[in-house]
Amino acid sequence: MKKRTLSFWEIWNMSFGFLGIQFGFALQGGFMSRIFQTLGADEHSIPLLWIAAPLTGLLVQPIIGYMSDRTWHSRLGRRRPYFLIGAILSSLALFFVPFSSALWIAAGFLWILDASINISMEPFRALVADKLTESQRTYGFVVQTLIIGIGTWIASNLPWMVSQIGVSDSAASGIIPDSVKVAFAIGAFVFLISILYTIFTTTEYPPEDMEEFKREKAKKNQFIPDILNNIGNMPLTMKKLGVIQFFSWFAFFTMWSLANPALTEHVFNTPAPVQSAFDMTNTIQAQAFDVANTAFQKSSNLVGSAMGVYGLSSMVFALLLVLYTSKRNINRKYVHMFSLMVGGLGFILMYFTTPENLKWCFVLIGFAWGSILSMPYAMLSSSVDPNKMGMFMGIFNMFIVIPQIIAALGGINFVSGLLGEESINAMTVAGISLIIAGLCNLLITNKNAISYQSE
């Protein structure tokens, strides 16, 4: 089937649902560790509490990719049914997460939230490849990254924004502040509305041979054999990209799980107070705990706001790429290498920064984030069978979640412990990991993956 060239606004509409998806991810990434700490988690246990997120991605994305490849609905098409289901579940989970009364409840909600976001997210990657010609794919993934950047910046600032209009940052021990609850409620609303916008403004191409599609769909479910067969026969370029993804996502999982405890302690000097260290029956001690807890909650707002800057800088980075790739090809390999190494420098500089300059570290990290969300997928989509795009995108997610699982099971604590006991060492490890990921781009040699060559 010959695909037509899409306009900017058509690509914008088909990617707009990622605004909501990123609201969910940014609130999860920026504030789940804060919720865990508020509910009494210590710093070393936080990565393990996060293990739900990569585990659900490992299980959900290949399944959804396989199912969406084999789906065709007369009104909603191939990918959009999954957008809708994921949006409804994610919005409900986002709303209820900050009402968790215990650590196990918060961890359970994180599991539900991440599974639901993955149901929506995986088909979005495949939709870009479905709808766009080879020559427009880099452009399409970059537009998607632009929208993700907008969502990251706004969502990361939501608790700070609502606290500025008078919503309280203070709360009793073990209770999530109202500013976080309101922010998550707004995120739930934006998630659902943005997905619905894409569903109503975007159409999909039907299968080229509907009869063959129906015959294939009617065959006995071969999900496990198909997955294993495609894993065993994945293209060499995909394996090389997997190495890059491993070190990239180890770094970002480290940031999401440990940036809040590391930066509130090292940069703002307001670590989360440990309730057992205070005699809560003593009025003075109880007041001291409240003062320390409020300081931690306010500095957590500022950490979240600073983290939002990486979304803003990734948005600027993506905008520059949109303007460039709308007319020209780029060398994806070197763009990705440079971006990851700049992001690694941003993490390392956190050790030396001040509260006023923390945002500049995240500006540098934003270049890496913008590239991670576009370049690997553009390179991958030029290297795999288009009829199995959903499945391969799901399998590719293994290279995202496996490093996160390793990090959650003690990888972060072990590697950062080699540098010392300070919590900020986790951010240094993230920086080193990103620099290694950047250098691994030198492994990519497939010319069509590096820069699409029109015939």
Side-chain angles (χ1 to χ4, degrees):
M1 178 185 298
K2 184 173 177 60
K3 301 174 185 177
R4 66 182 180 85
T5 300
L6 301 188
S7 69
F8 170 80
W9 289 113
E10 287 176 305
I11 297 174
W12 175 272
N13 289 343
M14 65 184 273
S15 301
F16 190 76
F18 243 115
L19 178 73
I21 290 173
Q22 199 54 37
F23 259 70
F25 268 129
L27 288 169
Q28 173 184 297
F31 302 102
M32 277 308 302
S33 290
R34 172 184 182 175
I35 290 173
F36 289 149
Q37 285 185 282
T38 300
L39 294 173
D42 64 79
E43 177 190 325
H44 294 292
S45 68
I46 288 175
L48 188 59
L49 290 168
W50 270 83
I51 198 170
L55 276 178
T56 51
L58 181 64
L59 297 171
V60 170
Q61 288 220 18
I63 294 172
I64 295 301
Y66 179 84
M67 291 173 63
S68 67
D69 281 343
R70 296 164 61 87
T71 295
W72 182 257
H73 187 277
S74 58
R75 296 183 65 182
L76 291 176
R78 173 173 289 166
R79 314 296 180 186
R80 288 178 293 163
Y82 300 93
F83 299 168
L84 181 59
I85 294 168
I88 293 170
L89 294 175
S90 298
S91 297
L92 289 172
L94 271 173
F95 182 83
F96 286 109
V97 164
F99 290 92
S100 301
S101 57
L103 271 176
W104 70 268
I105 296 176
F109 268 126
L110 175 59
W111 196 298
I112 297 169
L113 175 60
D114 204 80
S116 304
I117 293 175
N118 274 286
I119 291 172
S120 285
M121 184 181 71
E122 195 285 333
F124 262 99
R125 301 294 191 196
L127 182 66
V128 171
D130 289 345
K131 293 276 291 180
L132 299 181
T133 62
E134 283 266 18
S135 60
Q136 276 198 306
R137 282 185 188 167
T138 299
Y139 183 49
F141 283 116
V142 168
V143 171
Q144 205 172 75
T145 302
L146 174 63
I147 292 171
I148 289 171
I150 296 170
T152 300
W153 180 65
I154 298 174
S156 297
N157 279 283
L158 276 177
W160 175 80
M161 289 177 180
V162 298
S163 71
Q164 292 300 107
I165 60 175
V167 181
S168 178
D169 284 318
S170 300
S173 174
I175 303 297
I176 314 302
D178 287 344
S179 58
V180 177
K181 293 176 180 176
V182 173
F184 273 68
I186 293 170
F189 176 77
V190 172
F191 197 117
L192 185 60
I193 293 301
S194 63
I195 293 285
L196 290 175
Y197 179 85
T198 284
I199 289 172
F200 288 125
T201 59
T202 302
T203 59
E204 297 186 66
Y205 291 117
E208 293 188 47
D209 186 336
M210 184 62 75
E211 292 304 314
E212 175 62 27
F213 176 80
K214 289 179 179 178
R215 284 194 295 270
E216 187 69 26
K217 185 178 178 182
K219 290 181 181 179
K220 185 179 179 180
N221 194 314
Q222 297 291 311
F223 171 67
I224 299 297
D226 282 355
I227 287 286
L228 294 177
N229 181 60
N230 283 292
I231 289 174
N233 295 293
M234 69 174 68
L236 181 60
T237 298
M238 185 172 173
K239 295 177 183 177
K240 293 177 178 179
L241 285 168
V243 177
I244 300 168
Q245 292 287 82
F246 181 92
F247 290 103
S248 300
W249 287 90
F250 188 96
F252 273 89
F253 182 84
T254 300
M255 180 187 76
W256 293 324
S257 59
L258 290 178
N260 196 72
L263 298 176
T264 51
E265 178 183 315
H266 183 80
V267 178
F268 289 90
N269 198 29
T270 55
V274 179
Q275 186 175 345
S276 60
F278 295 82
D279 179 3
M280 302 302 285
T281 62
N282 181 291
T283 303
I284 295 176
Q285 288 278 299
Q287 289 176 344
F289 174 86
D290 289 341
V291 169
N293 188 47
T294 299
F296 165 72
Q297 298 293 348
K298 287 186 177 297
S299 64
S300 294
N301 281 350
L302 295 175
V303 169
S305 181
M307 286 181 71
V309 173
Y310 87 84
L312 190 62
S313 64
S314 72
M315 181 179 69
V316 173
F317 176 73
L319 182 59
L320 294 174
L321 285 180
V322 165
L323 295 174
Y324 191 87
T325 57
S326 63
K327 302 293 183 183
R328 306 172 185 85
N329 290 325
I330 60 171
N331 188 307
R332 299 161 178 166
K333 168 180 170 178
Y334 287 121
V335 167
H336 199 40
M337 181 172 71
F338 170 78
S339 303
L340 293 178
M341 295 180 75
V342 167
L345 178 63
F347 276 119
I348 291 170
L349 289 175
M350 287 179 177
Y351 188 90
F352 308 98
T353 195
T354 62
E356 296 76 21
N357 291 321
L358 179 62
K359 60 182 178 292
W360 298 112
C361 297
F362 283 106
V363 167
L364 298 180
I365 292 168
F367 286 99
W369 184 237
S371 190
I372 285 171
L373 294 175
S374 53
M375 293 301 111
Y377 297 99
M379 288 190 271
L380 175 67
S381 65
S382 298
S383 309
V384 300
D385 181 355
N387 294 319
K388 298 181 178 180
M389 191 64 68
M391 179 182 288
F392 274 117
M393 287 291 181
I395 292 172
F396 192 56
N397 189 60
M398 290 168 45
F399 298 120
I400 293 174
V401 298
I402 289 174
Q404 296 182 62
I405 292 171
I406 292 172
L409 289 174
I412 297 174
N413 290 337
F414 174 75
V415 179
S416 62
L418 297 176
L419 301 179
E421 291 298 317
E422 291 182 277
S423 58
I424 196 64
N425 290 332
M427 298 300 100
T428 302
V429 168
I432 295 169
S433 187
L434 264 191
I435 290 171
I436 293 172
L439 293 173
C440 286
N441 277 273
L442 297 174
L443 298 172
I444 305 297
T445 55
N446 184 307
K447 292 182 179 179
N448 210 42
I450 293 170
S451 180
Y452 170 70
Q453 303 295 318
S454 58
E455 297 180 1

